[in-house]
Amino acid sequence: MPRTPLVAGNWKMHKTVSEALQLVEVLLPRLEAVSGVESLLCPPSTALMPLSAILDKSRIALGAQNLFWESEGAFTGELSASMVAEFCQYVIIGHSERRQIFGETNDEVNRKILAAIAVGLMPVLCVGESLAENEAGRAAEIITGQLQAALKDVALSGGGQLVIAYEPIWAIGTGKAATPEDIDTLLRNVVRPTLAGLFGEQLSQEVRVLYGGSVNPGNAADFFGQPEIDGALVGGASLVAEDFVAITQAASG
Ligand code: PGA
């Protein structure tokens, strides 16, 4: 079953609303012109409402970078899944920066995934090992553990409800991308079988699995040429219109 490639831009804590509007003005017509690929923009929360008004009738999807699992209440500074779902189709959950800087645990990531799916948001679940774990030969064990913990008690009615982003931490923002062949092998031997164990073989084949970590216009085609890599979660290069468009074009084949 062919999986439509997804190229997602994680803007992180970049762009005021006016800067976001400027970037989208350039991106919108150019991304719309690329066929066979789904594009997803994940700006800071302040830009979600204005961008949703612009992207509403377009083929470009909008995503948040985080949410909180409670539905409402005294949780200063947080956004619930339904607040995010007012503007977005997707939400990034469990990014390594949230895990490392904000101490997010696998259990918290699981609660966020459950909250997202409950309101019909599609989570982009990030998993990945650190450099030390990679060098100790523990990548498979870490990734399997993260997937099983994050997806505990998750029930899917279709594989399209979930996206996985495999992002080795040592490749994020470092310019040091993993090799496409190694990523493909890891997705085939570790990520896909773990998903099959959780959701069954058929659903595991429908879930899109992205690679993330120093993807740029120069290396994107090599990643997208691998059968198990269904797209990319792009950080730095998603802030530059030319680069994000070029990466999206590479995913269209
Ligand atoms: P990068 O970030 O492309 O800047 O390495 C990827 C990410 O953190 O999602």
Side-chain angles (χ1 to χ4, degrees):
M1 199 240 211
R3 299 177 290 260
T4 305
L6 174 66
V7 176
N10 175 10
W11 293 6
K12 308 190 180 183
M13 199 173 75
H14 294 282
K15 306 283 176 197
T16 61
V17 170
S18 59
E19 290 164 347
L21 290 169
Q22 277 172 26
L23 180 55
V24 166
E25 194 178 300
V26 181
L27 285 176
L28 180 58
R30 300 192 59 191
L31 292 178
E32 288 258 78
V34 185
S35 61
V37 183
E38 189 181 354
S39 321
L40 165 63
L41 304 180
C42 302
S45 309
T46 47
L48 292 176
M49 185 161 73
L51 291 195
S52 77
I54 293 170
L55 299 177
D56 194 32
K57 301 269 179 313
S58 79
R59 289 174 42 233
I60 300 163
L62 197 57
Q65 299 174 12
N66 185 28
L67 53 69
F68 189 55
W69 58 80
E70 293 287 353
S71 54
E72 63 179 355
F75 304 105
T76 302
E78 297 294 329
L79 297 178
S80 72
S82 10
M83 291 170 184
V84 168
E86 281 188 290
F87 306 112
C88 298
Q89 300 79 48
Y90 288 89
V91 56
I92 297 172
I93 294 183
H95 191 277
S96 61
E97 285 151 17
R98 297 230 41 101
R99 294 177 192 259
Q100 291 191 314
I101 303 169
F102 302 99
E104 218 165 89
T105 64
N106 277 328
D107 176 58
E108 290 169 343
V109 169
N110 176 238
R111 290 180 191 217
K112 292 181 177 195
I113 297 274
L114 289 167
I117 289 179
V119 299
L121 277 169
M122 293 175 277
V124 178
L125 166 62
C126 302
V127 296
E129 81 287 359
S130 67
L131 183 59
E133 289 161 347
N134 183 281
E135 285 174 346
R138 297 182 57 213
E141 170 205 335
I142 297 294
I143 294 157
T144 306
Q146 287 175 339
L147 286 170
Q148 286 173 340
L151 297 169
K152 185 169 170 281
D153 299 331
V154 169
L156 298 179
S157 51
Q161 280 181 293
L162 175 69
V163 176
I164 306 294
Y166 168 56
E167 303 202 302
I169 296 169
W170 45 272
I172 296 177
T174 57
K176 219 169 107 175
T179 74
E181 293 75 17
D182 287 350
I183 301 294
D184 192 62
T185 305
L186 192 129
L187 301 191
R188 179 175 298 105
N189 295 340
V190 179
V191 175
R192 223 39 98 182
T194 306
L195 293 174
L198 289 163
F199 303 117
E201 180 60 27
Q202 192 188 327
L203 273 182
S204 79
Q205 292 298 325
E206 293 170 13
V207 172
R208 285 175 294 179
V209 183
L210 316 181
Y211 166 71
S214 299
V215 174
N216 60 51
N219 63 19
D222 291 340
F223 287 109
F224 301 148
Q226 304 295 328
E228 291 294 336
I229 301 179
D230 303 320
L233 181 54
V234 184
S238 74
L239 299 168
V240 181
E242 286 294 307
D243 290 358
F244 191 64
V245 169
I247 293 168
T248 307
Q249 284 166 338
S252 109

